[in-house]
Amino acid sequence: MGHDLAYAALALLATIAYYVAFLVFRISAQRMPPLRGSRPFFVAWQMLTSPIWFAGGLILFVGLAYEVVAFTAMPLAVAQPIFAISLVFLVLYSVWFLDERLSVREWVSVAMFVLATVMIGLSAGSERDLTADDTLVGTLVSPWKMLAVMAPALVVSAVVWLLGDRRRGGRHARKLAGVAYGIGAGACAGLAEAGIRGISIVYEDTGSVTAVLKSPYPLLTLGMAAIALGGLQVALQRCRLAIVATVLTVIGRTYLVLSSSVLFGEQWPEETLPFTLRTAGFTLALLALVTFPRYEQPDTTEATVAARAARRAAQGPDQADMRAIT
């Protein structure tokens, strides 16, 4: 029992580290020039040369390390609700301390997302019969299974960023809402977490770091995490943190479950209660996506971002940023 509580605490620390990193990324995004998904190398340069973003990246990778340990020691059915509960605190923080306003429709969608994440997690079962025995060489020889889970995430991410970068003329033009950007980044983030899960399963089965390094899962994690982080940075500059983080989390957890069925042989639950929970969870998540507004509030335009960045560059760190960090 004591060990279970310790690993649950570790999972909680992992997700807290994630969301603290999100807050730091948001601060760095407000200090950057306008970012565009169609210019990935420019986005990457701005991220890697920003001390604030780099600090957030270090916090994020601490969370990744904690999550590897948590996934090794506890089933997804226990870890997922912990992640969802932490998301609630991030949304409340964004509303109270970052002055982000959510409409009634958005609050309903967020609530459905959180509930869907918990239901999908509870349907996962014990997972003790999962396998992840592919080697990197074997994956290169027969890449179809890996491509089957990577292709949808990459396509969705590319479509979202390219559509988000289309210039919309006219004084009444509106930007895509955080829900769209959250979908793009969430699909890649979910696949990166599937890579973390693969690392934990390989290590649990072999007890060998060498076996982990010879598997495709470290490369899968790092590659998809890099794409997700780039998309997240663009999203945090244009949209509200509460919306982006919520959608990213639920899409990521959903894609994690779906990709696990391909990569690790996880079957759709056959027992009545787990089957009902998973079916209802996916249905609720889809309903929440449909309910979310498609366009962001008009104050998050590129012109506003550029003006804000120029003002902060001239004035230096302000009290609002310091309050967001603390």
Side-chain angles (χ1 to χ4, degrees):
M1 182 65 179
H3 289 294
D4 292 340
L5 290 177
Y7 288 128
L10 200 61
L12 181 61
L13 287 175
T15 189
I16 289 175
Y18 281 158
Y19 294 139
V20 170
F22 281 14
L23 293 171
V24 178
F25 291 155
R26 178 183 180 273
I27 294 171
S28 67
Q30 292 178 332
R31 295 177 173 278
M32 293 176 179
L35 303 176
R36 303 182 66 83
S38 57
R39 301 176 62 191
F41 294 108
F42 177 76
V43 174
W45 175 257
Q46 292 297 321
M47 292 162 59
L48 295 176
T49 57
S50 168
I52 298 177
W53 186 91
F54 197 78
L58 292 177
I59 296 172
L60 181 68
F61 278 100
V62 169
L64 288 176
Y66 285 157
E67 187 171 2
V68 169
V69 178
F71 272 159
T72 302
M74 62 192 304
L76 193 63
V78 178
Q80 287 278 49
I82 294 175
F83 295 144
I85 292 172
S86 300
L87 175 62
V88 173
F89 288 109
L90 177 67
V91 172
L92 295 177
Y93 181 92
S94 300
V95 172
W96 288 339
F97 294 98
L98 302 182
D99 297 325
E100 294 186 352
R101 297 180 180 179
L102 275 67
S103 66
V104 174
R105 180 178 172 183
E106 288 170 335
W107 274 116
V108 171
S109 298
V110 168
M112 288 193 295
F113 266 146
V114 171
L115 182 58
T117 302
V118 173
M119 295 172 72
I120 293 172
L122 292 176
S123 72
S126 64
E127 310 164 353
R128 293 307 178 188
D129 57 346
L130 300 185
T131 59
D133 54 0
D134 289 341
T135 63
L136 183 57
V137 173
T139 300
L140 293 175
V141 172
S142 182
W144 312 117
K145 185 167 62 174
M146 192 67 69
L147 290 176
V149 296
M150 290 180 61
L154 293 174
V155 169
V156 168
S157 182
V159 168
V160 169
W161 305 134
L162 292 177
L163 286 179
D165 280 342
R166 290 180 58 188
R167 297 187 178 276
R168 294 173 173 80
R171 68 184 287 190
H172 298 296
R174 296 183 295 173
K175 297 292 181 184
L176 286 176
V179 61
Y181 293 103
I183 292 172
C188 293
L191 196 48
E193 286 199 279
I196 294 175
R197 198 176 181 196
I199 291 172
S200 67
I201 294 173
V202 171
Y203 185 77
E204 185 178 17
D205 289 344
T206 64
S208 170
V209 176
T210 302
V212 170
L213 294 177
K214 288 182 178 180
S215 74
Y217 303 112
L219 290 178
L220 178 67
T221 299
L222 293 176
M224 301 308 293
I227 297 174
L229 286 174
L232 174 65
Q233 195 68 11
V234 176
L236 291 177
Q237 191 180 74
R238 301 180 182 184
C239 309
R240 287 162 292 169
L241 173 64
I243 302 301
V244 173
T246 300
V247 180
L248 185 150
T249 298
V250 72
I251 295 299
R253 305 301 174 190
T254 302
Y255 206 88
L256 169 61
V257 173
L258 292 175
S259 60
S260 292
S261 65
V262 178
L263 294 176
F264 314 127
E266 182 182 38
Q267 301 299 317
W268 194 276
E270 296 180 357
E271 297 180 6
T272 302
L273 181 57
F275 178 87
T276 303
L277 284 172
R278 182 164 298 188
T279 303
F282 278 107
T283 303
L284 196 60
L286 180 61
L287 181 61
L289 282 177
V290 174
T291 304
F292 250 119
R294 292 292 174 268
Y295 297 99
E296 187 56 271
Q297 294 178 346
D299 60 341
T300 53
T301 62
E302 288 187 5
T304 302
V305 170
R308 184 185 301 157
R311 183 170 62 252
R312 295 188 178 206
Q315 296 178 354
D318 57 18
Q319 294 181 353
D321 285 347
M322 297 305 294
R323 183 179 65 175
I325 293 177
T326 57

